[in-house]
Amino acid sequence: MTLMNALTQRRIAHGYIFSGHRGIGKTTIARILAMALNCRNTIGSAVRPTAEPCEVCESCTEIRAGNAVDVIEIDAATNRGIDEIRELRDAARYRPARDKYKIYILDEAHQITDAAFNALLKTLEEPPDHIVFMMATTQPEDIPQTVRSRCQHFSFHAVKLVDILGELRGIAEREDVDADEAALSLLAEAGDGSMRDALSIMDQAIASAPVEDGRARLDAGQIRELMGTVPNAVFERILEAVDGNRSAEVITVANQLLDAGNSPAQLARQFVRYLRNTVIAKIAGIGVDGAGADGVAGELLQISADEQRRAGRSAALFSEEELTRFLQVMLKTFDELGYRQEQRFHFELGLLKLVHLRRLLPIEAVLSQFPVAGGARPGPGVATARTVSAPAAPPPRNPVSGAATARVLETSATVASARPAFSPFERDQSRNRFDEKAVVAAPIVIPVVPVAGPVVPIAAPMPVPVVVPVPIAIATPAEMVLTDGDAKGAALVELGDLAETAVATLHAVAQEESAENGRSDMQLDALHSAEELQRVAVDALLAAKNQATPADALGDADWTVTETEVRVQTELSKTMLPLVINPEVEKLVKAALRDSGAGALKLVLLPGVKSAANAKKPRAAKSGSVQAKAMEHPIVQRAQTLFNAEIRNVIDLRDND
């Protein structure tokens, strides 16, 4: 339409660039434009009512036949040097012999060298009135910018599959050729957006087709044999075997294809195209019956309806991520086949990699199978107990003469567990947060130092906060460790007084911890309910498909419940929060909260703030681990007391026998 308006208004440029896919008619458009410029009939006459050429005058017929004197068509792929362009520039100074314009059509113009373009640049910058240059190319970016800026650029898109199919169907009717839809669809797909390629393959197929009742007969099998391709049903079978983890069937199908004489490179190329169509079918949501293949999906998938249904069936077997990995593996395999000697082996290896990729597990599932503490895996509904021991007190500076009397009172507090740890990430959180329902087995060691006066128990700070009174098991006199030394310095303490003093010390430490944290019993209930809501939300996301990443993000977040809302302080940045917690994830979380009875509360998602206050604290060592044993060593404890040392890395050099 732009060229039609330019011809009507007589606004003719002196340079045109026609670019686009191969075989779509760029050079043909240049010839038609040359006919329109040199047509002897004026626009609006009876013979030429529009700007299109009349195709009956002498100039039009000569240009269409290719023997016009004033229309010179040059193959720039062979005449690409500076000498040929200089001859063209010298001949351009002379006026046309008969027509109005002298027109030069440069086919494959991107093949011209930079020096030749520089020689042509002055002519393009100040051209004579009678000269028009038309350059057809598939790579316009290879033409220098100085040349492109002095020309009008028209870019042509590839021909759609339906248009190629309609043109081939019309040609078959005019040529009296019997061709079914499957055969015409194969020809159209082989064109790959190029009408010229599709027509060339069709012409070759008609020449080799059998004749029945005086009419050539085209079928799909004959065209596949002509093009050296295999039916896509073979690749559908391979993907079904990959989904079923059947490596033997995959290798058997590949062996049949290779023994039939098919090239591994050609098979890999066709498989890559099939995987691409499968990925697009998955993204576009095309069903197994081809539903949803209209509209944008049909534009993305330039294949027949039967192939669209086939791609939909293969896409239903895998997720989008798996299909993307399959396509990446086969693309790498196709690249390697170009310079490998044993192409068969590399093609088979690429197919086996698809089976291996199918066996991959999510990282959450792998981490959840590791033992938690002491090599034992917790059973369902029971969290692993932790053992915390206070460091031993240093010996007195002025010991009493004789062996000092020591009495050690060990108490244990155990509370039943209420909910299981559903993932490794949740178990990490449970180590940093207090939960009165979590299993805690904490022997508390209280050393008693004998002095001349009343016995005063020295209670070491406990790593696990204790807020509510817990049952305390007092050791019996038979279980006590009692060592009497010198009778002069020994202080005998009654068992009842010792137990009473120890219990009082435990309650004092608990009250101090409660005052420091600022948590009341009501706040503990709120924290417990927040963790329950967090568990419900994360479980709902893990039950959904492809929502493991949002589940991990919400599992690592801090949940707080108020009277009106549920505040979730995530560790995600302001940019990543809407990408990870998208509207679909938020909808699933709200539905889970509503089912748990907290639907009236408003869900508020907060991004993480980068500051020193938000830095994660080091986690406590697991009971029975190497780090825990290092913490119990007297030298390490002494270093912590004197220098406030911190253990970062512990290497176990023992033999693992």
Side-chain angles (χ1 to χ4, degrees):
M1 183 59 68
T2 303
L3 293 176
M4 293 281 289
N5 294 335
L7 291 171
T8 303
Q9 301 174 15
R10 308 302 299 174
R11 300 181 64 87
I12 308 302
H14 293 282
Y16 293 94
I17 296 178
F18 300 137
S19 65
H21 199 64
R22 69 183 187 278
I24 59 176
K26 300 183 295 295
T27 307
T28 303
I29 291 294
R31 296 192 189 104
I32 295 175
L33 180 59
M35 293 167 58
L37 290 174
N38 287 338
C39 183
R40 298 189 178 184
N41 296 313
T42 59
I43 300 175
S45 61
V47 181
R48 189 185 179 189
T50 62
E52 295 182 0
C54 66
E55 300 184 13
V56 294
C57 66
E58 187 176 359
S59 296
C60 291
T61 54
E62 289 181 355
I63 293 174
R64 183 171 57 186
N67 52 15
V69 177
D70 296 325
V71 178
I72 300 96
E73 187 171 343
I74 301 174
D75 181 16
T78 55
N79 301 279
R80 57 192 302 265
I82 189 173
D83 296 335
E84 291 83 357
I85 297 301
R86 283 174 178 172
E87 294 177 1
L88 183 151
R89 184 187 59 185
D90 295 339
R93 294 181 299 175
Y94 301 103
R95 298 193 63 84
R98 183 189 61 190
D99 296 330
K100 184 177 181 179
Y101 294 99
K102 178 177 284 188
I103 301 173
Y104 288 93
I105 301 177
L106 303 178
D107 197 9
E108 301 295 334
H110 61 275
Q111 298 281 0
I112 300 177
T113 62
D114 293 339
F117 269 123
N118 292 332
L120 187 63
L121 186 60
K122 188 63 177 179
T123 305
L124 287 174
E125 186 176 2
E126 297 177 358
D129 295 338
H130 59 274
I131 291 295
V132 176
F133 289 97
M134 300 181 187
M135 290 175 279
T137 176
T138 57
Q139 302 175 17
E141 63 277 0
D142 291 346
I143 299 178
Q145 182 63 31
T146 54
V147 175
R148 282 187 286 169
S149 63
R150 290 169 171 82
C151 301
Q152 292 187 7
H153 188 185
F154 294 89
S155 181
F156 299 91
H157 58 76
V159 185
K160 296 182 180 179
L161 179 72
V162 291
D163 297 333
I164 298 179
L165 192 59
E167 186 66 24
L168 295 182
R169 191 180 295 110
I171 292 176
E173 293 177 356
R174 292 191 296 270
E175 296 291 335
D176 291 333
V177 176
D178 292 334
D180 52 11
E181 286 296 322
L184 295 178
S185 298
L186 283 176
L187 293 174
E189 293 174 16
D192 194 18
S194 172
M195 181 64 73
R196 180 182 61 203
D197 292 354
L199 292 177
S200 299
I201 298 174
M202 185 179 184
D203 189 17
Q204 185 178 358
I206 293 175
S208 60
V211 179
E212 298 178 0
D213 298 332
R215 296 166 59 94
R217 174 68 181 176
L218 295 180
D219 56 14
Q222 175 210 353
I223 295 175
R224 287 196 187 95
E225 184 178 357
L226 179 65
M227 297 188 300
T229 60
V230 297
N232 286 334
V234 175
F235 302 114
E236 181 183 10
R237 180 184 173 188
I238 291 178
L239 290 182
E240 289 176 353
V242 171
D243 178 58
N245 196 19
R246 299 189 297 270
S247 303
E249 183 176 350
V250 172
I251 294 300
T252 300
V253 174
N255 181 66
Q256 293 174 354
L257 295 175
L258 296 173
D259 289 346
N262 297 290
S263 169
Q266 177 63 26
L267 292 175
R269 179 196 298 271
Q270 192 174 351
F271 197 14
V272 165
R273 294 181 64 88
Y274 183 76
L275 284 174
R276 181 264 176 191
N277 295 335
T278 306
V279 172
I280 297 300
K282 187 68 176 182
I283 296 174
I286 297 179
V288 295
D289 56 349
D294 52 351
V296 180
E299 294 291 335
L300 295 174
L301 278 179
Q302 293 290 326
I303 53 179
S304 62
D306 292 339
E307 293 300 328
Q308 289 176 354
R309 289 190 292 270
R310 191 187 310 279
R313 291 194 298 268
S314 297
L317 301 176
F318 309 96
S319 63
E320 182 179 334
E321 292 79 5
E322 290 174 330
L323 291 174
T324 305
R325 288 194 292 265
F326 292 170
L327 181 58
Q328 186 177 14
V329 168
M330 290 310 300
L331 280 173
K332 184 177 180 180
T333 302
F334 176 70
D335 292 339
E336 292 178 349
L337 290 177
Y339 58 89
R340 299 290 185 178
Q341 294 182 355
E342 298 293 343
Q343 292 189 349
R344 179 190 184 107
F345 300 159
H346 286 279
F347 178 69
E348 293 174 343
L349 178 61
L351 294 180
L352 283 179
K353 287 181 180 179
L354 303 185
V355 183
H356 299 164
L357 288 175
R358 184 60 170 166
R359 301 171 183 171
L360 294 180
L361 295 176
I363 187 64
E364 295 86 354
V366 176
L367 292 178
S368 62
Q369 297 176 3
F370 282 95
V372 179
R377 189 174 303 164
V382 178
T384 304
R386 295 186 297 150
T387 303
V388 182
S389 300
R397 295 179 181 270
N398 299 319
V400 184
S401 60
T405 303
R407 297 180 177 89
V408 180
L409 175 65
E410 296 186 0
T411 61
S412 300
T414 306
V415 182
S417 175
R419 64 183 177 91
F422 58 88
S423 73
F425 307 101
E426 183 64 18
R427 286 196 288 271
D428 291 340
Q429 291 181 0
S430 64
R431 289 197 290 266
N432 295 332
R433 301 180 184 176
F434 172 69
D435 186 359
E436 58 181 342
K437 295 185 178 183
V439 173
V440 178
I444 304 171
V445 180
I446 304 175
V448 181
V449 181
V451 292
V455 178
V456 180
I458 302 175
M462 296 177 295
V464 181
V466 180
V467 181
V468 295
V470 294
I472 301 176
I474 306 298
T476 61
E479 297 173 351
M480 298 295 294
V481 180
L482 183 58
T483 303
D484 293 333
D486 192 358
K488 295 180 181 180
L492 299 178
V493 181
E494 295 293 337
L495 179 60
D497 296 337
L498 178 60
E500 183 180 356
T501 305
V503 172
T505 304
L506 287 176
H507 283 289
V509 174
Q511 292 176 359
E512 291 178 2
E513 291 290 336
S514 178
E516 292 177 1
N517 296 332
R519 293 181 178 176
S520 62
D521 294 341
M522 184 179 300
Q523 289 173 327
L524 284 176
D525 293 339
L527 178 61
H528 170 70
S529 61
E531 292 186 353
E532 289 295 333
L533 295 181
Q534 182 182 18
R535 180 185 62 82
V536 171
V538 174
D539 286 345
L541 292 179
L542 291 177
K545 189 176 183 181
N546 298 329
Q547 300 296 346
T549 300
D552 295 341
L554 294 183
D556 293 336
D558 292 333
W559 288 58
T560 307
V561 179
T562 63
E563 296 180 357
T564 58
E565 61 185 12
V566 179
R567 301 177 67 85
V568 181
Q569 178 68 52
T570 66
E571 299 178 358
L572 301 173
S573 62
K574 190 175 181 180
T575 304
M576 292 298 298
L577 180 59
L579 299 178
V580 177
I581 313 298
N582 52 37
E584 181 181 355
V585 174
E586 190 173 352
K587 183 178 179 181
L588 292 174
V589 173
K590 289 181 179 180
L593 297 180
R594 184 170 55 254
D595 295 338
S596 64
L601 300 179
K602 180 181 178 181
L603 180 63
V604 180
L605 299 173
L606 300 176
V609 180
K610 294 182 179 179
S611 64
N614 291 334
K616 291 185 177 179
K617 298 181 179 180
R619 297 172 177 174
K622 295 182 179 181
S623 174
S625 63
V626 179
Q627 187 172 5
K629 292 183 178 180
M631 292 288 294
E632 297 173 358
H633 199 278
I635 298 178
V636 176
Q637 294 175 357
R638 186 63 175 170
Q640 288 179 325
T641 304
L642 295 177
F643 307 107
N644 195 18
E646 178 184 356
I647 297 179
R648 294 184 178 272
N649 296 318
V650 177
I651 301 175
D652 189 4
L653 300 179
R654 299 173 301 177
D655 296 333
N656 296 325
D657 294 335

mmCIF file with all atom_site columns, all heavy atoms in Angstrom, residues 21-38:
data_model
loop_
_atom_site.group_PDB
_atom_site.id
_atom_site.type_symbol
_atom_site.label_atom_id
_atom_site.label_alt_id
_atom_site.label_comp_id
_atom_site.label_asym_id
_atom_site.label_entity_id
_atom_site.label_seq_id
_atom_site.pdbx_PDB_ins_code
_atom_site.Cartn_x
_atom_site.Cartn_y
_atom_site.Cartn_z
_atom_site.occupancy
_atom_site.B_iso_or_equiv
_atom_site.pdbx_formal_charge
_atom_site.auth_seq_id
_atom_site.auth_comp_id
_atom_site.auth_asym_id
_atom_site.auth_atom_id
_atom_site.pdbx_PDB_model_num
ATOM 1   N N   . HIS A 1 21 ? 12.366 -12.878 4.617   1.00 0.00 ? 21 HIS A N   1
ATOM 2   C CA  . HIS A 1 21 ? 12.648 -14.312 4.526   1.00 0.00 ? 21 HIS A CA  1
ATOM 3   C C   . HIS A 1 21 ? 12.944 -14.701 3.080   1.00 0.00 ? 21 HIS A C   1
ATOM 4   O O   . HIS A 1 21 ? 12.539 -14.014 2.128   1.00 0.00 ? 21 HIS A O   1
ATOM 5   C CB  . HIS A 1 21 ? 11.433 -15.089 5.044   1.00 0.00 ? 21 HIS A CB  1
ATOM 6   C CG  . HIS A 1 21 ? 11.729 -16.496 5.430   1.00 0.00 ? 21 HIS A CG  1
ATOM 7   N ND1 . HIS A 1 21 ? 12.580 -16.828 6.454   1.00 0.00 ? 21 HIS A ND1 1
ATOM 8   C CD2 . HIS A 1 21 ? 11.300 -17.675 4.912   1.00 0.00 ? 21 HIS A CD2 1
ATOM 9   C CE1 . HIS A 1 21 ? 12.645 -18.135 6.572   1.00 0.00 ? 21 HIS A CE1 1
ATOM 10  N NE2 . HIS A 1 21 ? 11.886 -18.669 5.643   1.00 0.00 ? 21 HIS A NE2 1
ATOM 11  N N   . ARG A 1 22 ? 13.657 -15.818 2.931   1.00 0.00 ? 22 ARG A N   1
ATOM 12  C CA  . ARG A 1 22 ? 14.006 -16.278 1.591   1.00 0.00 ? 22 ARG A CA  1
ATOM 13  C C   . ARG A 1 22 ? 12.742 -16.780 0.872   1.00 0.00 ? 22 ARG A C   1
ATOM 14  O O   . ARG A 1 22 ? 11.831 -17.342 1.475   1.00 0.00 ? 22 ARG A O   1
ATOM 15  C CB  . ARG A 1 22 ? 15.041 -17.396 1.666   1.00 0.00 ? 22 ARG A CB  1
ATOM 16  C CG  . ARG A 1 22 ? 14.478 -18.683 2.242   1.00 0.00 ? 22 ARG A CG  1
ATOM 17  C CD  . ARG A 1 22 ? 15.518 -19.762 2.390   1.00 0.00 ? 22 ARG A CD  1
ATOM 18  N NE  . ARG A 1 22 ? 14.892 -21.023 2.787   1.00 0.00 ? 22 ARG A NE  1
ATOM 19  C CZ  . ARG A 1 22 ? 14.555 -21.331 4.026   1.00 0.00 ? 22 ARG A CZ  1
ATOM 20  N NH1 . ARG A 1 22 ? 14.779 -20.463 5.000   1.00 0.00 ? 22 ARG A NH1 1
ATOM 21  N NH2 . ARG A 1 22 ? 13.974 -22.493 4.294   1.00 0.00 ? 22 ARG A NH2 1
ATOM 22  N N   . GLY A 1 23 ? 12.731 -16.581 -0.425  1.00 0.00 ? 23 GLY A N   1
ATOM 23  C CA  . GLY A 1 23 ? 11.668 -17.138 -1.251  1.00 0.00 ? 23 GLY A CA  1
ATOM 24  C C   . GLY A 1 23 ? 10.290 -16.560 -1.015  1.00 0.00 ? 23 GLY A C   1
ATOM 25  O O   . GLY A 1 23 ? 9.291  -17.268 -1.170  1.00 0.00 ? 23 GLY A O   1
ATOM 26  N N   . ILE A 1 24 ? 10.182 -15.295 -0.624  1.00 0.00 ? 24 ILE A N   1
ATOM 27  C CA  . ILE A 1 24 ? 8.868  -14.689 -0.407  1.00 0.00 ? 24 ILE A CA  1
ATOM 28  C C   . ILE A 1 24 ? 8.528  -13.637 -1.457  1.00 0.00 ? 24 ILE A C   1
ATOM 29  O O   . ILE A 1 24 ? 7.473  -12.999 -1.368  1.00 0.00 ? 24 ILE A O   1
ATOM 30  C CB  . ILE A 1 24 ? 8.784  -14.051 0.994   1.00 0.00 ? 24 ILE A CB  1
ATOM 31  C CG1 . ILE A 1 24 ? 9.866  -12.987 1.159   1.00 0.00 ? 24 ILE A CG1 1
ATOM 32  C CG2 . ILE A 1 24 ? 8.929  -15.108 2.071   1.00 0.00 ? 24 ILE A CG2 1
ATOM 33  C CD1 . ILE A 1 24 ? 9.772  -12.249 2.476   1.00 0.00 ? 24 ILE A CD1 1
ATOM 34  N N   . GLY A 1 25 ? 9.432  -13.425 -2.456  1.00 0.00 ? 25 GLY A N   1
ATOM 35  C CA  . GLY A 1 25 ? 9.097  -12.542 -3.563  1.00 0.00 ? 25 GLY A CA  1
ATOM 36  C C   . GLY A 1 25 ? 9.712  -11.166 -3.499  1.00 0.00 ? 25 GLY A C   1
ATOM 37  O O   . GLY A 1 25 ? 9.107  -10.205 -4.016  1.00 0.00 ? 25 GLY A O   1
ATOM 38  N N   . LYS A 1 26 ? 10.868 -11.015 -2.909  1.00 0.00 ? 26 LYS A N   1
ATOM 39  C CA  . LYS A 1 26 ? 11.496 -9.694  -2.843  1.00 0.00 ? 26 LYS A CA  1
ATOM 40  C C   . LYS A 1 26 ? 11.917 -9.222  -4.240  1.00 0.00 ? 26 LYS A C   1
ATOM 41  O O   . LYS A 1 26 ? 11.626 -8.078  -4.629  1.00 0.00 ? 26 LYS A O   1
ATOM 42  C CB  . LYS A 1 26 ? 12.707 -9.740  -1.911  1.00 0.00 ? 26 LYS A CB  1
ATOM 43  C CG  . LYS A 1 26 ? 12.372 -10.136 -0.481  1.00 0.00 ? 26 LYS A CG  1
ATOM 44  C CD  . LYS A 1 26 ? 13.590 -10.106 0.408   1.00 0.00 ? 26 LYS A CD  1
ATOM 45  C CE  . LYS A 1 26 ? 14.611 -11.151 -0.005  1.00 0.00 ? 26 LYS A CE  1
ATOM 46  N NZ  . LYS A 1 26 ? 14.103 -12.539 0.165   1.00 0.00 ? 26 LYS A NZ  1
ATOM 47  N N   . THR A 1 27 ? 12.601 -10.089 -4.967  1.00 0.00 ? 27 THR A N   1
ATOM 48  C CA  . THR A 1 27 ? 13.029 -9.720  -6.318  1.00 0.00 ? 27 THR A CA  1
ATOM 49  C C   . THR A 1 27 ? 11.832 -9.553  -7.244  1.00 0.00 ? 27 THR A C   1
ATOM 50  O O   . THR A 1 27 ? 11.826 -8.675  -8.130  1.00 0.00 ? 27 THR A O   1
ATOM 51  C CB  . THR A 1 27 ? 13.985 -10.792 -6.866  1.00 0.00 ? 27 THR A CB  1
ATOM 52  O OG1 . THR A 1 27 ? 15.042 -11.015 -5.933  1.00 0.00 ? 27 THR A OG1 1
ATOM 53  C CG2 . THR A 1 27 ? 14.580 -10.357 -8.187  1.00 0.00 ? 27 THR A CG2 1
ATOM 54  N N   . THR A 1 28 ? 10.808 -10.347 -7.054  1.00 0.00 ? 28 THR A N   1
ATOM 55  C CA  . THR A 1 28 ? 9.591  -10.204 -7.869  1.00 0.00 ? 28 THR A CA  1
ATOM 56  C C   . THR A 1 28 ? 8.927  -8.854  -7.621  1.00 0.00 ? 28 THR A C   1
ATOM 57  O O   . THR A 1 28 ? 8.441  -8.194  -8.566  1.00 0.00 ? 28 THR A O   1
ATOM 58  C CB  . THR A 1 28 ? 8.616  -11.346 -7.543  1.00 0.00 ? 28 THR A CB  1
ATOM 59  O OG1 . THR A 1 28 ? 9.261  -12.597 -7.770  1.00 0.00 ? 28 THR A OG1 1
ATOM 60  C CG2 . THR A 1 28 ? 7.368  -11.247 -8.402  1.00 0.00 ? 28 THR A CG2 1
ATOM 61  N N   . ILE A 1 29 ? 8.895  -8.407  -6.344  1.00 0.00 ? 29 ILE A N   1
ATOM 62  C CA  . ILE A 1 29 ? 8.343  -7.089  -6.023  1.00 0.00 ? 29 ILE A CA  1
ATOM 63  C C   . ILE A 1 29 ? 9.163  -5.998  -6.715  1.00 0.00 ? 29 ILE A C   1
ATOM 64  O O   . ILE A 1 29 ? 8.615  -5.001  -7.214  1.00 0.00 ? 29 ILE A O   1
ATOM 65  C CB  . ILE A 1 29 ? 8.312  -6.879  -4.502  1.00 0.00 ? 29 ILE A CB  1
ATOM 66  C CG1 . ILE A 1 29 ? 7.278  -7.810  -3.863  1.00 0.00 ? 29 ILE A CG1 1
ATOM 67  C CG2 . ILE A 1 29 ? 7.997  -5.436  -4.159  1.00 0.00 ? 29 ILE A CG2 1
ATOM 68  C CD1 . ILE A 1 29 ? 5.852  -7.487  -4.259  1.00 0.00 ? 29 ILE A CD1 1
ATOM 69  N N   . ALA A 1 30 ? 10.492 -6.179  -6.734  1.00 0.00 ? 30 ALA A N   1
ATOM 70  C CA  . ALA A 1 30 ? 11.333 -5.184  -7.417  1.00 0.00 ? 30 ALA A CA  1
ATOM 71  C C   . ALA A 1 30 ? 11.003 -5.117  -8.904  1.00 0.00 ? 30 ALA A C   1
ATOM 72  O O   . ALA A 1 30 ? 10.943 -4.019  -9.489  1.00 0.00 ? 30 ALA A O   1
ATOM 73  C CB  . ALA A 1 30 ? 12.806 -5.531  -7.197  1.00 0.00 ? 30 ALA A CB  1
ATOM 74  N N   . ARG A 1 31 ? 10.783 -6.257  -9.537  1.00 0.00 ? 31 ARG A N   1
ATOM 75  C CA  . ARG A 1 31 ? 10.434 -6.250  -10.960 1.00 0.00 ? 31 ARG A CA  1
ATOM 76  C C   . ARG A 1 31 ? 9.070  -5.591  -11.187 1.00 0.00 ? 31 ARG A C   1
ATOM 77  O O   . ARG A 1 31 ? 8.881  -4.833  -12.157 1.00 0.00 ? 31 ARG A O   1
ATOM 78  C CB  . ARG A 1 31 ? 10.426 -7.678  -11.511 1.00 0.00 ? 31 ARG A CB  1
ATOM 79  C CG  . ARG A 1 31 ? 11.785 -8.370  -11.487 1.00 0.00 ? 31 ARG A CG  1
ATOM 80  C CD  . ARG A 1 31 ? 11.738 -9.633  -12.315 1.00 0.00 ? 31 ARG A CD  1
ATOM 81  N NE  . ARG A 1 31 ? 12.945 -10.443 -12.155 1.00 0.00 ? 31 ARG A NE  1
ATOM 82  C CZ  . ARG A 1 31 ? 13.008 -11.558 -11.436 1.00 0.00 ? 31 ARG A CZ  1
ATOM 83  N NH1 . ARG A 1 31 ? 11.925 -12.017 -10.812 1.00 0.00 ? 31 ARG A NH1 1
ATOM 84  N NH2 . ARG A 1 31 ? 14.143 -12.226 -11.332 1.00 0.00 ? 31 ARG A NH2 1
ATOM 85  N N   . ILE A 1 32 ? 8.120  -5.891  -10.344 1.00 0.00 ? 32 ILE A N   1
ATOM 86  C CA  . ILE A 1 32 ? 6.785  -5.287  -10.488 1.00 0.00 ? 32 ILE A CA  1
ATOM 87  C C   . ILE A 1 32 ? 6.866  -3.777  -10.312 1.00 0.00 ? 32 ILE A C   1
ATOM 88  O O   . ILE A 1 32 ? 6.212  -3.000  -11.039 1.00 0.00 ? 32 ILE A O   1
ATOM 89  C CB  . ILE A 1 32 ? 5.812  -5.919  -9.485  1.00 0.00 ? 32 ILE A CB  1
ATOM 90  C CG1 . ILE A 1 32 ? 5.596  -7.399  -9.803  1.00 0.00 ? 32 ILE A CG1 1
ATOM 91  C CG2 . ILE A 1 32 ? 4.480  -5.189  -9.472  1.00 0.00 ? 32 ILE A CG2 1
ATOM 92  C CD1 . ILE A 1 32 ? 4.747  -8.135  -8.790  1.00 0.00 ? 32 ILE A CD1 1
ATOM 93  N N   . LEU A 1 33 ? 7.672  -3.305  -9.313  1.00 0.00 ? 33 LEU A N   1
ATOM 94  C CA  . LEU A 1 33 ? 7.836  -1.868  -9.129  1.00 0.00 ? 33 LEU A CA  1
ATOM 95  C C   . LEU A 1 33 ? 8.516  -1.241  -10.345 1.00 0.00 ? 33 LEU A C   1
ATOM 96  O O   . LEU A 1 33 ? 8.168  -0.113  -10.758 1.00 0.00 ? 33 LEU A O   1
ATOM 97  C CB  . LEU A 1 33 ? 8.657  -1.607  -7.862  1.00 0.00 ? 33 LEU A CB  1
ATOM 98  C CG  . LEU A 1 33 ? 8.917  -0.139  -7.520  1.00 0.00 ? 33 LEU A CG  1
ATOM 99  C CD1 . LEU A 1 33 ? 7.606  0.616   -7.345  1.00 0.00 ? 33 LEU A CD1 1
ATOM 100 C CD2 . LEU A 1 33 ? 9.785  -0.028  -6.274  1.00 0.00 ? 33 LEU A CD2 1
ATOM 101 N N   . ALA A 1 34 ? 9.482  -1.956  -10.934 1.00 0.00 ? 34 ALA A N   1
ATOM 102 C CA  . ALA A 1 34 ? 10.119 -1.439  -12.150 1.00 0.00 ? 34 ALA A CA  1
ATOM 103 C C   . ALA A 1 34 ? 9.111  -1.348  -13.290 1.00 0.00 ? 34 ALA A C   1
ATOM 104 O O   . ALA A 1 34 ? 9.123  -0.367  -14.085 1.00 0.00 ? 34 ALA A O   1
ATOM 105 C CB  . ALA A 1 34 ? 11.294 -2.340  -12.534 1.00 0.00 ? 34 ALA A CB  1
ATOM 106 N N   . MET A 1 35 ? 8.217  -2.323  -13.422 1.00 0.00 ? 35 MET A N   1
ATOM 107 C CA  . MET A 1 35 ? 7.170  -2.254  -14.443 1.00 0.00 ? 35 MET A CA  1
ATOM 108 C C   . MET A 1 35 ? 6.247  -1.070  -14.203 1.00 0.00 ? 35 MET A C   1
ATOM 109 O O   . MET A 1 35 ? 5.840  -0.376  -15.155 1.00 0.00 ? 35 MET A O   1
ATOM 110 C CB  . MET A 1 35 ? 6.378  -3.563  -14.446 1.00 0.00 ? 35 MET A CB  1
ATOM 111 C CG  . MET A 1 35 ? 7.178  -4.772  -14.912 1.00 0.00 ? 35 MET A CG  1
ATOM 112 S SD  . MET A 1 35 ? 6.347  -6.351  -14.550 1.00 0.00 ? 35 MET A SD  1
ATOM 113 C CE  . MET A 1 35 ? 4.811  -6.126  -15.430 1.00 0.00 ? 35 MET A CE  1
ATOM 114 N N   . ALA A 1 36 ? 5.906  -0.825  -12.930 1.00 0.00 ? 36 ALA A N   1
ATOM 115 C CA  . ALA A 1 36 ? 5.012  0.291   -12.622 1.00 0.00 ? 36 ALA A CA  1
ATOM 116 C C   . ALA A 1 36 ? 5.672  1.632   -12.910 1.00 0.00 ? 36 ALA A C   1
ATOM 117 O O   . ALA A 1 36 ? 4.999  2.590   -13.328 1.00 0.00 ? 36 ALA A O   1
ATOM 118 C CB  . ALA A 1 36 ? 4.576  0.216   -11.159 1.00 0.00 ? 36 ALA A CB  1
ATOM 119 N N   . LEU A 1 37 ? 6.998  1.746   -12.682 1.00 0.00 ? 37 LEU A N   1
ATOM 120 C CA  . LEU A 1 37 ? 7.681  3.007   -12.931 1.00 0.00 ? 37 LEU A CA  1
ATOM 121 C C   . LEU A 1 37 ? 7.821  3.294   -14.428 1.00 0.00 ? 37 LEU A C   1
ATOM 122 O O   . LEU A 1 37 ? 7.714  4.468   -14.861 1.00 0.00 ? 37 LEU A O   1
ATOM 123 C CB  . LEU A 1 37 ? 9.070  2.985   -12.273 1.00 0.00 ? 37 LEU A CB  1
ATOM 124 C CG  . LEU A 1 37 ? 9.102  3.018   -10.737 1.00 0.00 ? 37 LEU A CG  1
ATOM 125 C CD1 . LEU A 1 37 ? 10.529 2.854   -10.238 1.00 0.00 ? 37 LEU A CD1 1
ATOM 126 C CD2 . LEU A 1 37 ? 8.505  4.318   -10.219 1.00 0.00 ? 37 LEU A CD2 1
ATOM 127 N N   . ASN A 1 38 ? 8.069  2.276   -15.235 1.00 0.00 ? 38 ASN A N   1
ATOM 128 C CA  . ASN A 1 38 ? 8.305  2.465   -16.667 1.00 0.00 ? 38 ASN A CA  1
ATOM 129 C C   . ASN A 1 38 ? 7.096  2.136   -17.531 1.00 0.00 ? 38 ASN A C   1
ATOM 130 O O   . ASN A 1 38 ? 7.216  2.077   -18.766 1.00 0.00 ? 38 ASN A O   1
ATOM 131 C CB  . ASN A 1 38 ? 9.486  1.612   -17.128 1.00 0.00 ? 38 ASN A CB  1
ATOM 132 C CG  . ASN A 1 38 ? 10.806 2.156   -16.639 1.00 0.00 ? 38 ASN A CG  1
ATOM 133 O OD1 . ASN A 1 38 ? 10.924 3.337   -16.323 1.00 0.00 ? 38 ASN A OD1 1
ATOM 134 N ND2 . ASN A 1 38 ? 11.828 1.294   -16.583 1.00 0.00 ? 38 ASN A ND2 1
#
